[in-house]
Amino acid sequence: MHGFADASVLAYGACAYIRSLFEDGSDSMKLISAKSKVAPISPLSIPRKELATAFLLHRLVVKILQSIKMKMKFKKIILWCDNQPVLAWLVRPPEQLELFVRNRVGEITSTGDQFE
């Protein structure tokens, strides 16, 4: 499974694809779910919008995994985010982050092994 997250000034969204590999060497990639939201009226910086997008992607993937738990196993789950501040927040100790960031990063990083 591959998940992608991105944000803009007006909105943000996330989507998930499943890549299937077949015995004959061919493959297929299908969109399985997507979610978007309008950006809040209160101004958020682009890094915070990107974090909200990563959080949206995280929740989307958790729902997908819960719904197909027994039907399918994934060899890899790769989630993509191109925002450097968000990537830095995800590896930083939570106590070094301000509340808005800490809450979202905490949930994203706490569910990593629960579906293995």
Side-chain angles (χ1 to χ4, degrees):
M1 181 187 319
H2 289 266
F4 299 91
D6 205 6
S8 72
V9 174
L10 300 176
Y12 56 95
C15 60
Y17 291 83
I18 291 179
R19 181 174 180 233
S20 303
L21 301 173
F22 302 104
E23 290 179 9
D24 67 358
S26 65
D27 66 344
S28 170
M29 190 159 238
K30 304 274 184 190
L31 175 69
I32 56 169
S33 188
K35 180 88 175 156
S36 63
K37 290 191 172 203
V38 175
I41 294 172
S42 60
L44 283 180
S45 66
I46 292 294
R48 283 183 174 219
K49 284 181 188 168
E50 291 278 358
L51 179 60
T53 305
F55 187 65
L56 182 68
L57 176 59
H58 162 75
R59 288 211 165 159
L60 179 68
V61 169
V62 167
K63 282 198 183 270
I64 291 166
L65 292 173
Q66 288 171 341
S67 68
I68 60 174
K69 195 179 205 175
M70 301 307 249
K71 299 173 189 141
M72 189 181 298
K73 298 267 186 205
F74 294 100
K75 189 173 182 179
K76 284 185 186 178
I77 298 173
I78 303 170
L79 305 180
W80 301 89
C81 172
D82 64 355
N83 188 271
Q84 292 300 314
V86 171
L87 297 172
W89 288 332
L90 290 171
V91 297
R92 192 177 245 173
E95 60 276 0
Q96 294 180 0
L97 303 170
E98 49 188 287
L99 189 61
F100 178 91
V101 175
R102 183 182 329 136
N103 290 339
R104 285 148 186 83
V105 168
E107 186 173 325
I108 291 169
T109 58
S110 69
T111 56
D113 299 326
Q114 111 183 17
F115 294 102
E116 288 186 20

